[in-house]
Amino acid sequence: MPKTIRIASVNVNGVRAAYKKGMGEWLAERDVDILALQEVRAPTDELHKLIDTADWELHDHLATAKGRAGVAIASRIPIREVRTDLGADDFDSAGRWLEADFDIDGTPLTVVSCYVNSGEADTPKQDEKWKFLDAMSARLPELQAHSSHSLVVGDLNVGHTKLDIKNWKGNVKRAGFLPRERAYFDRIFGESGASVEGADGSTGTGLGFVDVGRRLSGEVEGPYTWWSQRGQAFDNDTGWRIDYHVATPDLAQRAATYAVDRAASYDTRWSDHAPVVVDYTF
């Protein structure tokens, strides 16, 4: 019989704060098999106190700067190998990239928890984001060569199209919706090997990966995954879709259901991001 693997990803905006606000109750009820976390912002021993390693195999990758970034993968399925290397050594990707290999009844699966820099237009922070997007783009074909069932999940901090940001017109000069940023995603999701024109007018080679959320949701606004803590953004659903499941074509074909676990109300949120949950059938 087919086996369903439920993979969830969420930027927790500080895992200790998230657990105080109700993340543990969500996780206990959601029947997740593989959980990818971003912006953990906690040392390993603190993370282990929250996620019971009697039930989960847990790996994390801390940021260089204490209390910043941090990614983790928790799994009820045995993890065969983990890796954290990404790109050249001339930039700091610590706390932003964690790969884990699995074996699903003989089918290799690789899952990456990824936290792309937020950036800030025309500043050194944006320069670091360009470096990270370059490194990620170079790594994706290598992942596909490693396993035809590879998946990058997480807070990628870019809204790809106008459908991904409620008020896109007011954000075209802001980090997260810059045309040059969106062009990276045009290439990532472009036809494999084809010449792709990006949102900024540049051309590059398509990588052939699949935006699982967009494929399963259709050409609709959102569904958004992040809302500003300020004003009435959450109540008015003035959000951004910046949390993704980026899959190889073979794995994307196995995606059966897609859900954004948006909180019922502002006061029941445990992060400014919502979990993105996808069921894959093997």
Side-chain angles (χ1 to χ4, degrees):
M1 291 182 62
K3 174 184 289 188
T4 297
I5 304 298
R6 178 164 293 170
I7 302 177
S9 175
V10 61
N11 178 322
V12 294
N13 194 22
V15 70
R16 288 170 289 194
Y19 261 78
K20 288 179 181 177
K21 296 176 182 177
M23 177 184 165
E25 288 79 2
W26 167 82
L27 186 57
E29 296 173 356
R30 203 56 173 93
D31 196 25
V32 171
D33 296 298
I34 300 171
L35 174 67
L37 306 177
Q38 303 87 46
E39 212 170 348
V40 174
R41 301 207 308 259
T44 301
D45 61 337
E46 292 290 328
L47 180 60
H48 280 232
K49 291 176 183 178
L50 298 171
I51 298 179
D52 189 351
T53 51
D55 298 323
W56 298 87
E57 183 174 349
L58 181 59
H59 295 270
D60 66 341
H61 185 38
L62 301 179
T64 303
K66 185 178 180 180
R68 300 286 300 278
V71 289
I73 293 177
S75 177
R76 299 184 190 276
I77 302 168
I79 298 174
R80 304 186 71 182
E81 185 177 350
V82 296
R83 294 172 297 276
T84 59
D85 293 337
L86 179 67
D89 295 330
D90 64 345
F91 80 110
D92 184 6
S93 63
R96 297 187 179 276
W97 186 266
L98 176 62
E99 302 177 9
D101 289 341
F102 303 86
D103 184 287
I104 311 299
D105 293 342
T107 298
L109 169 68
T110 296
V111 177
V112 183
S113 182
C114 176
Y115 178 41
V116 175
N117 312 56
S118 56
E120 185 178 341
D122 301 320
T123 72
K125 290 182 179 180
Q126 192 66 29
D127 294 336
E128 289 301 301
K129 189 172 187 177
W130 299 135
K131 290 178 183 179
F132 192 96
L133 290 170
D134 283 338
M136 182 175 75
S137 298
R139 181 60 180 152
L140 286 174
E142 297 173 351
L143 281 175
Q144 183 162 16
H146 175 70
S147 170
S148 63
H149 294 79
S150 289
L151 179 69
V152 176
V153 299
D155 178 3
L156 304 190
N157 262 316
V158 176
H160 180 206
T161 75
K162 296 173 183 178
L163 293 175
D164 296 318
I165 299 183
K166 184 75 168 208
N167 292 330
W168 66 267
K169 289 182 180 179
N171 287 287
V172 292
K173 295 183 179 180
R174 288 186 58 194
F177 201 63
L178 298 172
R180 181 179 168 187
E181 293 175 330
R182 294 162 55 206
Y184 280 90
F185 285 67
D186 291 329
R187 293 185 289 271
I188 289 169
F189 298 131
E191 180 184 349
S192 180
S195 178
V196 175
E197 182 175 353
D200 62 347
S202 65
T203 57
T205 303
L207 300 184
F209 278 71
V210 177
D211 180 349
V212 173
R214 180 56 64 210
R215 173 177 283 187
L216 293 185
S217 296
E219 295 298 304
V220 300
E221 291 187 354
Y224 307 122
T225 64
W226 174 83
W227 302 262
S228 171
Q229 301 277 32
R230 295 176 291 182
Q232 300 295 312
F234 183 80
D235 293 337
N236 296 331
D237 200 25
T238 304
W240 296 46
R241 189 178 76 96
I242 54 177
D243 301 87
Y244 292 81
H245 280 227
V246 178
T248 54
D250 286 353
L251 182 60
Q253 290 180 357
R254 297 180 182 270
T257 64
Y258 171 85
V260 176
D261 284 3
R262 188 180 190 273
S265 61
Y266 182 90
D267 61 350
T268 59
R269 303 170 75 192
W270 42 266
S271 173
D272 53 350
H273 292 254
V276 178
V277 186
V278 180
D279 286 349
Y280 296 89
T281 303
F282 286 81

